[in-house]
Amino acid sequence: KTGPRIYRRVVFGLLAFALFNSSDMFLLLMIKQSGASDMAVIGFYIFYNAVYAIFGYPMGALGDRIGLKPTFIMGAVIFAAVYAGMAFSTGIIAFGILFFLYGLFAAMNEGIVKAWISNICEKKDVATALGTFAGLNSIVALLASVIAGVIWSVAGPSAMFVVSAVGVLCVVIYFIQSLWSAAA
């Protein structure tokens, strides 16, 4: 099931996800606001990247075994849990667990998304499809961070994280619904 229609449906869902996936700096700012030192904040970011690097291959293999869409959906659920957790957590241990999970999410996202798009497009169109998605995703990512910043400023950091978590759960529902349709 390849072609422009399924590509548009998948990219629509992925861009909707991106609209709720603001810059990682908001996660780090939340840790900083909880009273963590600059070194601790940097340590959390290094930890997240290490988890992402360690689990990139296993999560890619998981995607090959169970399917790219289910792997992406599991990652999105983890993302929503992390953002919900960030809304209410203040302790270093909780942040450590959340950043571990966030690293898993990252490992279940980037490569999986690229493989998913590659698999639903004709071979001759893969580079164009990936380039189009990357361009649109970059624009939406910028918009997501602006929106997150406005929510953070107006309603507070907890509200921003809750809005993101709920928004991503709506995207999860969109993709789960499409599991039972003729889509990807």
Short mmCIF file of all heavy atoms in Angstrom, two decimals, residues 46-108:
data_model
loop_
_atom_site.label_atom_id
_atom_site.label_comp_id
_atom_site.label_asym_id
_atom_site.label_seq_id
_atom_site.Cartn_x
_atom_site.Cartn_y
_atom_site.Cartn_z
N ILE A 46 23.21 14.51 28.53
CA ILE A 46 24.17 13.48 28.11
C ILE A 46 23.56 12.09 28.33
O ILE A 46 23.66 11.21 27.48
CB ILE A 46 25.50 13.64 28.87
CG1 ILE A 46 26.21 14.92 28.40
CG2 ILE A 46 26.40 12.42 28.68
CD1 ILE A 46 27.39 15.32 29.25
N PHE A 47 22.92 11.89 29.47
CA PHE A 47 22.27 10.62 29.78
C PHE A 47 21.21 10.28 28.74
O PHE A 47 21.17 9.16 28.21
CB PHE A 47 21.66 10.68 31.19
CG PHE A 47 20.87 9.48 31.57
CD1 PHE A 47 21.49 8.23 31.69
CD2 PHE A 47 19.52 9.58 31.84
CE1 PHE A 47 20.76 7.10 32.06
CE2 PHE A 47 18.79 8.45 32.22
CZ PHE A 47 19.40 7.22 32.32
N TYR A 48 20.37 11.25 28.40
CA TYR A 48 19.34 11.05 27.38
C TYR A 48 19.97 10.61 26.06
O TYR A 48 19.52 9.65 25.42
CB TYR A 48 18.53 12.34 27.21
CG TYR A 48 17.99 12.56 25.82
CD1 TYR A 48 16.89 11.84 25.36
CD2 TYR A 48 18.59 13.48 24.95
CE1 TYR A 48 16.40 12.04 24.07
CE2 TYR A 48 18.10 13.68 23.67
CZ TYR A 48 17.02 12.95 23.24
OH TYR A 48 16.54 13.14 21.97
N ASN A 49 21.03 11.30 25.63
CA ASN A 49 21.69 10.96 24.38
C ASN A 49 22.34 9.59 24.43
O ASN A 49 22.36 8.87 23.42
CB ASN A 49 22.71 12.05 24.00
CG ASN A 49 22.03 13.22 23.34
OD1 ASN A 49 21.59 13.13 22.21
ND2 ASN A 49 21.92 14.32 24.06
N ALA A 50 22.88 9.22 25.58
CA ALA A 50 23.48 7.88 25.71
C ALA A 50 22.41 6.80 25.58
O ALA A 50 22.61 5.80 24.88
CB ALA A 50 24.20 7.76 27.05
N VAL A 51 21.25 7.00 26.23
CA VAL A 51 20.15 6.03 26.12
C VAL A 51 19.70 5.94 24.67
O VAL A 51 19.50 4.84 24.14
CB VAL A 51 18.99 6.42 27.06
CG1 VAL A 51 17.77 5.56 26.81
CG2 VAL A 51 19.43 6.35 28.52
N TYR A 52 19.54 7.08 24.03
CA TYR A 52 19.14 7.12 22.63
C TYR A 52 20.13 6.33 21.76
O TYR A 52 19.74 5.49 20.94
CB TYR A 52 19.06 8.58 22.20
CG TYR A 52 18.74 8.88 20.77
CD1 TYR A 52 18.14 7.97 19.91
CD2 TYR A 52 19.02 10.14 20.26
CE1 TYR A 52 17.84 8.29 18.60
CE2 TYR A 52 18.72 10.48 18.94
CZ TYR A 52 18.14 9.55 18.12
OH TYR A 52 17.84 9.87 16.83
N ALA A 53 21.41 6.55 21.97
CA ALA A 53 22.44 5.86 21.18
C ALA A 53 22.45 4.36 21.45
O ALA A 53 22.54 3.56 20.51
CB ALA A 53 23.81 6.47 21.48
N ILE A 54 22.34 3.98 22.70
CA ILE A 54 22.38 2.56 23.07
C ILE A 54 21.17 1.80 22.53
O ILE A 54 21.29 0.66 22.09
CB ILE A 54 22.50 2.40 24.60
CG1 ILE A 54 23.89 2.89 25.06
CG2 ILE A 54 22.23 0.98 25.05
CD1 ILE A 54 24.00 3.09 26.58
N PHE A 55 20.02 2.44 22.56
CA PHE A 55 18.79 1.75 22.19
C PHE A 55 18.36 1.97 20.74
O PHE A 55 17.35 1.41 20.31
CB PHE A 55 17.66 2.11 23.15
CG PHE A 55 17.81 1.44 24.48
CD1 PHE A 55 18.44 2.09 25.53
CD2 PHE A 55 17.33 0.16 24.68
CE1 PHE A 55 18.60 1.47 26.75
CE2 PHE A 55 17.48 -0.48 25.90
CZ PHE A 55 18.12 0.18 26.94
N GLY A 56 19.11 2.76 19.98
CA GLY A 56 18.74 3.00 18.58
C GLY A 56 18.65 1.71 17.78
O GLY A 56 17.66 1.46 17.08
N TYR A 57 19.68 0.88 17.87
CA TYR A 57 19.68 -0.38 17.12
C TYR A 57 18.57 -1.33 17.61
O TYR A 57 17.80 -1.84 16.79
CB TYR A 57 21.06 -1.05 17.20
CG TYR A 57 21.08 -2.41 16.57
CD1 TYR A 57 21.16 -2.55 15.19
CD2 TYR A 57 20.99 -3.56 17.35
CE1 TYR A 57 21.15 -3.80 14.61
CE2 TYR A 57 20.98 -4.81 16.77
CZ TYR A 57 21.06 -4.93 15.40
OH TYR A 57 21.05 -6.17 14.83
N PRO A 58 18.46 -1.59 18.92
CA PRO A 58 17.40 -2.50 19.36
C PRO A 58 15.99 -2.02 18.99
O PRO A 58 15.13 -2.83 18.64
CB PRO A 58 17.56 -2.57 20.88
CG PRO A 58 18.97 -2.17 21.13
CD PRO A 58 19.34 -1.21 20.04
N MET A 59 15.76 -0.71 19.04
CA MET A 59 14.42 -0.21 18.69
C MET A 59 14.18 -0.31 17.19
O MET A 59 13.06 -0.56 16.75
CB MET A 59 14.24 1.23 19.19
CG MET A 59 14.21 1.36 20.71
SD MET A 59 12.90 0.38 21.50
CE MET A 59 13.87 -0.91 22.27
N GLY A 60 15.23 -0.13 16.39
CA GLY A 60 15.11 -0.35 14.95
C GLY A 60 14.78 -1.81 14.66
O GLY A 60 13.92 -2.11 13.82
N ALA A 61 15.45 -2.72 15.36
CA ALA A 61 15.17 -4.15 15.20
C ALA A 61 13.75 -4.47 15.64
O ALA A 61 13.06 -5.29 15.01
CB ALA A 61 16.19 -4.98 15.98
N LEU A 62 13.29 -3.82 16.72
CA LEU A 62 11.91 -4.02 17.17
C LEU A 62 10.94 -3.58 16.07
O LEU A 62 9.95 -4.28 15.79
CB LEU A 62 11.65 -3.23 18.45
CG LEU A 62 10.24 -3.32 19.02
CD1 LEU A 62 9.96 -4.73 19.53
CD2 LEU A 62 10.05 -2.30 20.14
N GLY A 63 11.23 -2.45 15.44
CA GLY A 63 10.40 -1.98 14.34
C GLY A 63 10.35 -2.98 13.19
O GLY A 63 9.30 -3.18 12.59
N ASP A 64 11.48 -3.62 12.91
CA ASP A 64 11.49 -4.64 11.87
C ASP A 64 10.67 -5.86 12.27
O ASP A 64 10.04 -6.50 11.42
CB ASP A 64 12.93 -5.08 11.57
CG ASP A 64 13.73 -4.01 10.84
OD1 ASP A 64 13.11 -3.12 10.20
OD2 ASP A 64 14.97 -4.05 10.92
N ARG A 65 10.66 -6.20 13.55
CA ARG A 65 9.93 -7.38 14.02
C ARG A 65 8.43 -7.15 14.14
O ARG A 65 7.64 -7.98 13.71
CB ARG A 65 10.48 -7.84 15.37
CG ARG A 65 11.67 -8.76 15.27
CD ARG A 65 11.97 -9.52 16.55
NE ARG A 65 12.03 -8.68 17.74
CZ ARG A 65 13.08 -7.97 18.14
NH1 ARG A 65 14.18 -7.96 17.42
NH2 ARG A 65 13.04 -7.27 19.25
N ILE A 66 8.03 -6.05 14.77
CA ILE A 66 6.60 -5.87 15.06
C ILE A 66 5.92 -4.86 14.13
O ILE A 66 4.71 -4.74 14.15
CB ILE A 66 6.35 -5.47 16.53
CG1 ILE A 66 6.86 -4.06 16.81
CG2 ILE A 66 6.95 -6.49 17.48
CD1 ILE A 66 6.40 -3.50 18.15
N GLY A 67 6.70 -4.16 13.37
CA GLY A 67 6.15 -3.16 12.45
C GLY A 67 6.54 -1.75 12.86
O GLY A 67 6.74 -1.47 14.05
N LEU A 68 6.65 -0.91 11.87
CA LEU A 68 7.09 0.46 12.12
C LEU A 68 6.02 1.29 12.82
O LEU A 68 6.30 2.04 13.74
CB LEU A 68 7.52 1.11 10.81
CG LEU A 68 8.68 0.39 10.10
CD1 LEU A 68 8.91 0.97 8.72
CD2 LEU A 68 9.94 0.44 10.94
N LYS A 69 4.76 1.14 12.38
CA LYS A 69 3.69 1.92 13.00
C LYS A 69 3.51 1.54 14.47
O LYS A 69 3.46 2.43 15.32
CB LYS A 69 2.38 1.77 12.25
CG LYS A 69 1.30 2.71 12.80
CD LYS A 69 -0.10 2.45 12.30
CE LYS A 69 -0.24 2.57 10.84
NZ LYS A 69 -1.64 2.45 10.40
N PRO A 70 3.43 0.25 14.83
CA PRO A 70 3.31 -0.08 16.25
C PRO A 70 4.50 0.42 17.08
O PRO A 70 4.32 0.87 18.22
CB PRO A 70 3.22 -1.61 16.27
CG PRO A 70 2.73 -1.98 14.92
CD PRO A 70 3.29 -0.95 13.98
N THR A 71 5.68 0.37 16.51
CA THR A 71 6.86 0.86 17.23
C THR A 71 6.76 2.36 17.43
O THR A 71 7.02 2.88 18.53
CB THR A 71 8.15 0.49 16.50
OG1 THR A 71 8.18 -0.93 16.30
CG2 THR A 71 9.38 0.92 17.27
N PHE A 72 6.36 3.07 16.38
CA PHE A 72 6.18 4.52 16.52
C PHE A 72 5.11 4.83 17.57
O PHE A 72 5.29 5.73 18.40
CB PHE A 72 5.80 5.16 15.18
CG PHE A 72 5.45 6.61 15.32
CD1 PHE A 72 6.44 7.57 15.35
CD2 PHE A 72 4.12 7.02 15.46
CE1 PHE A 72 6.12 8.91 15.51
CE2 PHE A 72 3.80 8.35 15.63
CZ PHE A 72 4.81 9.30 15.66
N ILE A 73 4.00 4.11 17.54
CA ILE A 73 2.92 4.34 18.50
C ILE A 73 3.41 4.11 19.93
O ILE A 73 3.13 4.91 20.83
CB ILE A 73 1.69 3.47 18.17
CG1 ILE A 73 1.02 4.00 16.89
CG2 ILE A 73 0.71 3.44 19.33
CD1 ILE A 73 -0.07 3.09 16.34
N MET A 74 4.16 3.04 20.15
CA MET A 74 4.71 2.80 21.50
C MET A 74 5.62 3.94 21.91
O MET A 74 5.57 4.41 23.05
CB MET A 74 5.47 1.47 21.54
CG MET A 74 4.56 0.27 21.50
SD MET A 74 5.39 -1.32 21.78
CE MET A 74 6.88 -1.20 20.86
N GLY A 75 6.45 4.43 20.99
CA GLY A 75 7.31 5.56 21.28
C GLY A 75 6.52 6.80 21.61
O GLY A 75 6.86 7.56 22.53
N ALA A 76 5.44 7.04 20.87
CA ALA A 76 4.61 8.22 21.12
C ALA A 76 3.92 8.12 22.49
O ALA A 76 3.79 9.13 23.19
CB ALA A 76 3.57 8.38 20.01
N VAL A 77 3.51 6.93 22.87
CA VAL A 77 2.91 6.76 24.21
C VAL A 77 3.96 7.04 25.28
O VAL A 77 3.67 7.70 26.29
CB VAL A 77 2.30 5.34 24.36
CG1 VAL A 77 1.93 5.05 25.80
CG2 VAL A 77 1.08 5.20 23.44
N ILE A 78 5.18 6.58 25.06
CA ILE A 78 6.27 6.88 26.00
C ILE A 78 6.48 8.39 26.06
O ILE A 78 6.64 8.97 27.14
CB ILE A 78 7.55 6.13 25.62
CG1 ILE A 78 7.38 4.63 25.86
CG2 ILE A 78 8.76 6.67 26.40
CD1 ILE A 78 8.51 3.78 25.30
N PHE A 79 6.49 9.05 24.91
CA PHE A 79 6.64 10.51 24.86
C PHE A 79 5.56 11.17 25.72
O PHE A 79 5.85 12.06 26.53
CB PHE A 79 6.55 11.00 23.42
CG PHE A 79 6.58 12.50 23.28
CD1 PHE A 79 7.77 13.16 23.03
CD2 PHE A 79 5.42 13.25 23.40
CE1 PHE A 79 7.80 14.54 22.90
CE2 PHE A 79 5.44 14.63 23.28
CZ PHE A 79 6.63 15.28 23.03
N ALA A 80 4.31 10.78 25.52
CA ALA A 80 3.20 11.36 26.28
C ALA A 80 3.39 11.13 27.78
O ALA A 80 3.15 12.04 28.59
CB ALA A 80 1.86 10.80 25.81
N ALA A 81 3.85 9.94 28.16
CA ALA A 81 4.09 9.65 29.58
C ALA A 81 5.21 10.53 30.13
O ALA A 81 5.11 11.03 31.25
CB ALA A 81 4.43 8.17 29.75
N VAL A 82 6.26 10.72 29.34
CA VAL A 82 7.36 11.57 29.78
C VAL A 82 6.88 13.00 29.98
O VAL A 82 7.15 13.63 31.00
CB VAL A 82 8.55 11.52 28.78
CG1 VAL A 82 9.57 12.62 29.07
CG2 VAL A 82 9.21 10.16 28.81
N TYR A 83 6.14 13.52 29.02
CA TYR A 83 5.68 14.91 29.14
C TYR A 83 4.69 15.06 30.29
O TYR A 83 4.74 16.06 31.01
CB TYR A 83 5.11 15.40 27.81
CG TYR A 83 6.16 16.07 26.96
CD1 TYR A 83 7.33 15.41 26.60
CD2 TYR A 83 6.00 17.38 26.52
CE1 TYR A 83 8.31 16.03 25.84
CE2 TYR A 83 6.97 18.00 25.76
CZ TYR A 83 8.11 17.34 25.42
OH TYR A 83 9.08 17.97 24.68
N ALA A 84 3.82 14.09 30.47
CA ALA A 84 2.91 14.15 31.63
C ALA A 84 3.72 14.09 32.92
O ALA A 84 3.45 14.83 33.87
CB ALA A 84 1.90 13.01 31.56
N GLY A 85 4.73 13.24 32.95
CA GLY A 85 5.59 13.14 34.13
C GLY A 85 6.35 14.43 34.40
O GLY A 85 6.50 14.85 35.55
N MET A 86 6.81 15.09 33.34
CA MET A 86 7.53 16.36 33.52
C MET A 86 6.61 17.43 34.10
O MET A 86 7.07 18.32 34.81
CB MET A 86 8.11 16.84 32.18
CG MET A 86 9.25 16.01 31.65
SD MET A 86 10.71 15.95 32.70
CE MET A 86 11.35 17.60 32.50
N ALA A 87 5.32 17.33 33.82
CA ALA A 87 4.37 18.33 34.33
C ALA A 87 4.27 18.28 35.84
O ALA A 87 3.97 19.29 36.47
CB ALA A 87 3.00 18.11 33.70
N PHE A 88 4.55 17.12 36.42
CA PHE A 88 4.29 16.95 37.85
C PHE A 88 5.50 16.52 38.67
O PHE A 88 5.40 16.39 39.88
CB PHE A 88 3.14 15.96 38.05
CG PHE A 88 1.89 16.38 37.32
CD1 PHE A 88 1.49 15.72 36.16
CD2 PHE A 88 1.14 17.46 37.76
CE1 PHE A 88 0.36 16.12 35.47
CE2 PHE A 88 0.00 17.86 37.07
CZ PHE A 88 -0.39 17.19 35.93
N SER A 89 6.63 16.28 38.03
CA SER A 89 7.81 15.80 38.74
C SER A 89 8.71 16.95 39.17
O SER A 89 8.80 17.97 38.50
CB SER A 89 8.61 14.85 37.84
OG SER A 89 7.86 13.71 37.54
N THR A 90 9.38 16.73 40.30
CA THR A 90 10.33 17.74 40.78
C THR A 90 11.63 17.10 41.26
O THR A 90 12.60 17.80 41.45
CB THR A 90 9.73 18.56 41.93
OG1 THR A 90 9.32 17.68 42.97
CG2 THR A 90 8.54 19.40 41.46
N GLY A 91 11.65 15.81 41.43
CA GLY A 91 12.82 15.15 42.00
C GLY A 91 13.80 14.64 40.96
O GLY A 91 13.42 14.30 39.84
N ILE A 92 15.04 14.58 41.36
CA ILE A 92 16.12 14.14 40.47
C ILE A 92 15.90 12.70 40.01
O ILE A 92 16.12 12.38 38.83
CB ILE A 92 17.49 14.28 41.18
CG1 ILE A 92 17.79 15.76 41.46
CG2 ILE A 92 18.61 13.64 40.39
CD1 ILE A 92 17.93 16.62 40.24
N ILE A 93 15.45 11.82 40.89
CA ILE A 93 15.23 10.42 40.50
C ILE A 93 14.12 10.33 39.45
O ILE A 93 14.25 9.63 38.45
CB ILE A 93 14.92 9.55 41.73
CG1 ILE A 93 16.17 9.47 42.62
CG2 ILE A 93 14.45 8.16 41.31
CD1 ILE A 93 15.95 8.79 43.94
N ALA A 94 13.04 11.07 39.67
CA ALA A 94 11.94 11.08 38.70
C ALA A 94 12.44 11.60 37.35
O ALA A 94 12.12 11.03 36.30
CB ALA A 94 10.78 11.92 39.21
N PHE A 95 13.21 12.67 37.37
CA PHE A 95 13.76 13.20 36.13
C PHE A 95 14.68 12.19 35.45
O PHE A 95 14.68 12.07 34.23
CB PHE A 95 14.50 14.51 36.36
CG PHE A 95 13.60 15.69 36.66
CD1 PHE A 95 13.93 16.58 37.65
CD2 PHE A 95 12.44 15.92 35.94
CE1 PHE A 95 13.11 17.67 37.94
CE2 PHE A 95 11.61 16.99 36.20
CZ PHE A 95 11.95 17.88 37.21
N GLY A 96 15.44 11.46 36.23
CA GLY A 96 16.31 10.43 35.66
C GLY A 96 15.51 9.36 34.94
O GLY A 96 15.85 8.96 33.82
N ILE A 97 14.43 8.91 35.56
CA ILE A 97 13.56 7.90 34.93
C ILE A 97 12.93 8.48 33.67
O ILE A 97 12.89 7.82 32.62
CB ILE A 97 12.49 7.42 35.92
CG1 ILE A 97 13.15 6.63 37.06
CG2 ILE A 97 11.42 6.60 35.22
CD1 ILE A 97 12.24 6.37 38.24
N LEU A 98 12.46 9.72 33.75
CA LEU A 98 11.83 10.35 32.60
C LEU A 98 12.81 10.54 31.45
O LEU A 98 12.46 10.32 30.28
CB LEU A 98 11.18 11.67 33.00
CG LEU A 98 9.98 11.54 33.94
CD1 LEU A 98 9.55 12.91 34.46
CD2 LEU A 98 8.81 10.83 33.25
N PHE A 99 14.04 10.91 31.76
CA PHE A 99 15.02 11.09 30.69
C PHE A 99 15.46 9.75 30.10
O PHE A 99 15.77 9.67 28.91
CB PHE A 99 16.21 11.92 31.17
CG PHE A 99 16.04 13.39 30.85
CD1 PHE A 99 15.07 14.13 31.49
CD2 PHE A 99 16.82 14.00 29.90
CE1 PHE A 99 14.88 15.46 31.18
CE2 PHE A 99 16.65 15.34 29.57
CZ PHE A 99 15.67 16.07 30.22
N PHE A 100 15.46 8.69 30.90
CA PHE A 100 15.71 7.35 30.36
C PHE A 100 14.60 7.01 29.35
O PHE A 100 14.87 6.58 28.22
CB PHE A 100 15.77 6.31 31.47
CG PHE A 100 15.91 4.91 30.94
CD1 PHE A 100 17.15 4.42 30.57
CD2 PHE A 100 14.80 4.10 30.79
CE1 PHE A 100 17.28 3.14 30.04
CE2 PHE A 100 14.92 2.81 30.27
CZ PHE A 100 16.17 2.33 29.91
N LEU A 101 13.36 7.22 29.77
CA LEU A 101 12.23 6.94 28.88
C LEU A 101 12.26 7.84 27.64
O LEU A 101 11.93 7.39 26.54
CB LEU A 101 10.91 7.11 29.63
CG LEU A 101 10.63 6.08 30.72
CD1 LEU A 101 9.40 6.46 31.52
CD2 LEU A 101 10.48 4.69 30.11
N TYR A 102 12.67 9.08 27.82
CA TYR A 102 12.75 10.00 26.68
C TYR A 102 13.81 9.53 25.68
O TYR A 102 13.63 9.65 24.47
CB TYR A 102 13.03 11.42 27.16
CG TYR A 102 12.74 12.47 26.13
CD1 TYR A 102 11.45 12.64 25.63
CD2 TYR A 102 13.74 13.29 25.64
CE1 TYR A 102 11.18 13.61 24.68
CE2 TYR A 102 13.47 14.26 24.69
CZ TYR A 102 12.19 14.42 24.21
OH TYR A 102 11.92 15.38 23.26
N GLY A 103 14.89 8.97 26.17
CA GLY A 103 15.90 8.38 25.30
C GLY A 103 15.33 7.20 24.53
O GLY A 103 15.62 7.02 23.33
N LEU A 104 14.51 6.37 25.19
CA LEU A 104 13.85 5.26 24.49
C LEU A 104 12.92 5.79 23.41
O LEU A 104 12.89 5.26 22.29
CB LEU A 104 13.05 4.40 25.48
CG LEU A 104 13.83 3.46 26.38
CD1 LEU A 104 12.87 2.69 27.28
CD2 LEU A 104 14.67 2.49 25.57
N PHE A 105 12.15 6.81 23.78
CA PHE A 105 11.26 7.42 22.77
C PHE A 105 12.06 7.85 21.55
O PHE A 105 11.68 7.57 20.41
CB PHE A 105 10.50 8.63 23.35
CG PHE A 105 10.22 9.67 22.31
CD1 PHE A 105 9.25 9.46 21.34
CD2 PHE A 105 10.96 10.85 22.26
CE1 PHE A 105 9.02 10.40 20.34
CE2 PHE A 105 10.73 11.79 21.27
CZ PHE A 105 9.76 11.57 20.32
N ALA A 106 13.16 8.56 21.76
CA ALA A 106 13.97 9.05 20.65
C ALA A 106 14.46 7.89 19.79
O ALA A 106 14.46 7.98 18.55
CB ALA A 106 15.15 9.88 21.16
N ALA A 107 14.85 6.80 20.42
CA ALA A 107 15.31 5.63 19.69
C ALA A 107 14.18 4.98 18.89
O ALA A 107 14.43 4.33 17.88
CB ALA A 107 15.93 4.62 20.66
N MET A 108 12.95 5.17 19.34
CA MET A 108 11.79 4.60 18.67
C MET A 108 11.18 5.57 17.65
O MET A 108 10.15 5.27 17.07
CB MET A 108 10.71 4.23 19.69
CG MET A 108 11.14 3.19 20.68
SD MET A 108 9.91 2.96 21.96
CE MET A 108 9.14 1.47 21.36
#
